[in-house]
Amino acid sequence: MEAKDKELISQHRKSNYDLDRLMKEHDALEAEVESMEKTKGLSDDDEIRLHRLKKDKLEGRDQIEAILQTLR
């Protein structure tokens, strides 16, 4: 994420409920993805879960980007 986007998020996060919620979800997903990626020998179920987490994270990022577009 670019520095100007981070600044914009910081400025509007407290007053924009959706942006705040999406950022919290994004941060939680990012932490879970990073944790799973550090694990060696993931089971097939874990690989599927990791793929879903990445997809959810990307969908959330798209929603965040849409909000940022309106704030720019």
Side-chain angles (χ1 to χ4, degrees):
M1 191 176 303
E2 294 182 29
K4 63 182 179 178
D5 287 343
K6 287 181 181 181
E7 184 178 329
L8 194 59
I9 289 168
S10 178
Q11 291 173 356
H12 294 277
R13 193 168 178 173
K14 290 181 182 177
S15 62
N16 188 314
Y17 170 79
D18 289 329
L19 179 60
D20 186 53
R21 178 184 55 81
L22 288 166
M23 285 304 301
K24 286 177 182 175
E25 288 174 8
H26 183 269
D27 292 344
L29 287 169
E30 186 169 343
E32 194 167 353
V33 165
E34 286 178 5
S35 175
M36 288 187 79
E37 286 180 334
K38 290 178 183 176
T39 304
K40 295 183 188 213
L42 292 175
S43 69
D44 290 341
D45 287 342
D46 287 339
E47 288 287 346
I48 291 169
R49 176 159 171 68
L50 179 59
H51 178 74
R52 182 67 197 163
L53 289 171
K54 287 180 177 183
K55 184 177 178 185
D56 291 347
K57 183 179 161 195
L58 184 58
E59 288 172 357
R61 182 66 181 111
D62 289 344
Q63 292 175 0
I64 291 167
E65 183 59 35
I67 293 171
L68 293 177
Q69 288 290 345
T70 65
L71 298 174
R72 287 186 184 118

